[in-house]
C-alpha cells in the first residue's frame, strides 16, 4: 500500500498510537496551526494505561471569553495547578514496570522541565519528543491558513469517535484489563521501545480510514 504523501495533524498532547501509525507512513507531516481550540480532544489530554484501566491526563488551561471561537495558538497553560508533577507521577506509576520506561525516563524528565506557556508549543514539543525517540523523520511543515482537514479532525477527537482497531502488543496491565486502545504514543514507546518502528510499519492498512 502506498503511503499518504502528506498528513495534516492538529498538535496534540503526546500523539496517540493511531496518529503515530499515520505519521510513520507519511512523507510530510503538516501541523495545523490556524485552527480554533475545541474541547474534548487530544489538544489538552492524553490517555495512558494504568492499574485501574485507562486514565486521561488533562492539561489545565487558562479559559478565555466563553461564547466565541478562540484560536488554538492563543491558549495558555494554567501553571497554578501542579499538573506536570501529577502527570509525571501517573506516567511513572503506570509504566515503571514496562520494558523500556527507565531507558527513556531521563529524556522524559528533561521534556517536562521545559516551561511553555502556550499549549500548542508544548504539544509540538511532546510530538517532537515521540518522533525523535521513535526515529520517525518525515518532513515537517506548518499550515499557512486553516485547512479543515477531515482526517486531522478525526485524529484529534478524543470522545465519540470510532478509531480503527490496531494490532495488540504486550502492555503492563494486559492480564488485568486486556489490550487497551486507543492510547498515547507513550504506551507504545515504553512497552515496545525500538521495536515500535516494526509495529508501526506493520499497521499500514489502517492509514486510509475515513
Amino acid at each position: 500500500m502506498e503511503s499518504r504523501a502528506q498528513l495534516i495533524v492538529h498538535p496534540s498532547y503526546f500523539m496517540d498510537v493511531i496518529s503515530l501509525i499515520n505519521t510513520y507512513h507519511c512523507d510530510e507531516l503538516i501541523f495545523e496551526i490556524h485552527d480554533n481550540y475545541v474541547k474534548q480532544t487530544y489538544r489538552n489530554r492524553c490517555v495512558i494505561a494504568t492499574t485501574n484501566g485507562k486514565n486521561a491526563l488533562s492539561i489545565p488551561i487558562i479559559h478565555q471569553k466563553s461564547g466565541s471561537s478562540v484560536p488554538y495558538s492563543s491558549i495558555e497553560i494554567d501553571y497554578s495547578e501542579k499538573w506536570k508533577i501529577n502527570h509525571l507521577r501517573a506516567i511513572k506509576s503506570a509504566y515503571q514496570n514496562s520494558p523500556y520506561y527507565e531507558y527513556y525516563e531521563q529524556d522524559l524528565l528533561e521534556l517536562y522541565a521545559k516551561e511553555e506557556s502556550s499549549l500548542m508549543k508544548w504539544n509540538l514539543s511532546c510530538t517532537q519528543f515521540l518522533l525523535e525517540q521513535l526515529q520517525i523523520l518525515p518532513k515537517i511543515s506548518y499550515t499557512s491558513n486553516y485547512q479543515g482537514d477531515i482526517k486531522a479532525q478525526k485524529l484529534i477527537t478524543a470522545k465519540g469517535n470510532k478509531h480503527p482497531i490496531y494490532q495488540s502488543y504486550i502492555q503492563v496491565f494486559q492480564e488485568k484489563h486486556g489490550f487497551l486502545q486507543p492510547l498515547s504514543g507513550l504506551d507504545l514507546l515504553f512497552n515496545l521501545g525500538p521495536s515500535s518502528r516494526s509495529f508501526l510499519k506493520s499497521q499500514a492498512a489502517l492509514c486510509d480510514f475515513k
Side-chain angles (χ1 to χ4, degrees):
M1 176 180 176
E2 294 184 359
S3 64
R4 177 179 177 179
Q6 294 181 325
L7 176 70
I8 299 175
V9 297
H10 300 271
S12 60
Y13 185 27
F14 288 120
M15 179 181 284
D16 70 300
V17 175
I18 285 292
S19 295
L20 276 176
I21 290 171
N22 280 271
T23 299
Y24 180 88
H25 291 279
C26 78
D27 299 312
E28 180 179 5
L29 183 64
I30 306 172
F31 289 106
E32 174 59 81
I33 59 173
H34 293 279
D35 55 332
N36 289 326
Y37 182 75
V38 181
K39 298 178 181 179
Q40 306 296 327
T41 67
Y42 292 126
R43 288 176 177 85
N44 76 319
R45 70 182 61 188
C46 70
V47 182
I48 61 175
T50 73
T51 185
N52 295 318
K54 290 183 180 180
N55 181 26
L57 305 179
S58 297
I59 300 174
I61 62 171
I62 298 175
H63 292 279
Q64 301 185 24
K65 183 179 178 181
S66 60
S68 58
S69 297
V70 179
Y72 179 14
S73 59
S74 72
I75 296 294
E76 294 185 345
I77 297 173
D78 184 356
Y79 280 98
S80 67
E81 299 184 34
K82 304 299 183 182
W83 66 272
K84 281 189 174 181
I85 293 175
N86 293 334
H87 287 197
L88 279 172
R89 286 175 178 169
I91 292 169
K92 183 170 185 176
S93 176
Y95 295 107
Q96 61 186 340
N97 293 323
S98 66
Y100 294 97
Y101 174 78
E102 289 187 358
Y103 182 80
Y104 297 109
E105 182 179 22
Q106 186 56 44
D107 289 337
L108 184 70
L109 293 175
E110 291 176 5
L111 171 66
Y112 273 85
K114 294 182 178 181
E115 290 289 336
E116 291 283 6
S117 59
S118 163
L119 178 63
M120 179 179 285
K121 288 182 179 179
W122 167 253
N123 287 344
L124 288 170
S125 293
C126 291
T127 302
Q128 181 181 11
F129 169 83
L130 279 178
L131 298 185
E132 287 180 353
Q133 302 301 333
L134 295 169
Q135 298 182 24
I136 302 174
L137 305 172
K139 176 183 177 182
I140 301 293
S141 61
Y142 304 86
T143 59
S144 57
N145 50 64
Y146 180 59
Q147 300 298 303
D149 188 80
I150 299 299
K151 183 166 185 173
Q153 293 172 17
K154 287 185 176 182
L155 289 173
I156 197 65
T157 302
K159 286 191 174 182
N161 187 28
K162 186 177 181 181
H163 288 287
I165 297 174
Y166 47 85
Q167 179 183 327
S168 64
Y169 52 84
I170 298 299
Q171 294 176 328
V172 178
F173 303 105
Q174 192 165 351
E175 288 188 4
K176 184 175 183 180
H177 300 292
F179 182 72
L180 298 177
Q181 64 172 299
L183 295 175
S184 162
L186 289 176
D187 187 80
L188 184 71
L189 180 68
F190 295 144
N191 283 304
L192 294 188
S195 297
S196 297
R197 288 177 53 82
S198 296
F199 171 82
L200 295 170
K201 182 178 181 180
S202 72
Q203 302 302 296
L206 300 181
C207 294
D208 59 348
F209 75 94
K210 300 181 185 299

